[in-house]
Amino acid sequence: TTRNIYKLFQSSRTRTIFKLLQNRPIQWDAVTLLLEKHPEAAKRKDSMGRTPLHLACRYGASLATILLLLDLWLEAKENRSSHSLRSLIIVNKSSDIKNLLLHVYSLLNENQRNPFPHEIMSFFVSIDCWDGAMLVINRYPTVTKTLKLNTKAMAD
C-alpha cells in the first residue's frame, strides 16, 4: 500500500537502496520513489560490485523501474560499454527488458550485426525511452532523416 511505501521511504534515510532491494517482496514503488529523490543511489555498488540496476534485472523490476535505473546508470561513462550491459542481459528474466537491454547493447557494441538504427529508434519510441532514442541519434545522426520531422517550422 501507499502508506507502507511512505513508511519504508521515510526510514530509508538511514538505509541504502540495497537494503530496500534485499527485502522480499521488493517494493519497487519505494525503490522508484527513493531514486527520484536521490538519483545518485543508482550509481552505488554493493560489496559484490553490483548496482541497483543489476539487482532490479535479477529480481524482476517493472519496465518503468528498469528505464529509470538504466537512464541513471548510463550517466556514468564506465557503464557505457557492451561488457557492462552483457552482465545485465544475462541476469534478466523478462523478455521485454532483455529486448531493451539488447537494443542498448547493440548501440554500444560495434563487433556485431546491429539492427538498423531506425528499428532501434522505433523500439525506443514505442516504449517512451527517450534517452535510448537520444543514444541512437548520438550514434547515428542520419537517423533523424527517417523520423519525418517537420524541420520547416519556425519559432514565433
Side-chain angles (χ1 to χ4, degrees), residues 95-124:
S95 61
D96 289 340
I97 294 169
K98 193 170 277 202
N99 198 15
L100 165 67
L101 296 171
L102 285 169
H103 278 85
V104 175
Y105 178 84
S106 70
L107 290 171
L108 300 174
N109 185 2
E110 298 189 22
N111 297 327
Q112 73 165 25
R113 278 196 262 144
N114 293 334
F116 290 111
H118 68 275
E119 291 173 18
I120 300 171
M121 176 67 86
S122 294
F123 172 77
F124 286 138

Side-chain angles (χ1 to χ4, degrees), residues 107 117-118 120-122 124-125 129-147 149:
L107 290 171
H118 68 275
I120 300 171
M121 176 67 86
S122 294
F124 286 138
V125 169
C129 180
W130 304 112
D131 292 319
M134 285 306 299
L135 278 174
V136 177
I137 291 171
N138 289 336
R139 172 109 163 123
Y140 303 104
T142 58
V143 77
T144 57
K145 292 179 183 177
T146 67
L147 297 177
L149 299 173

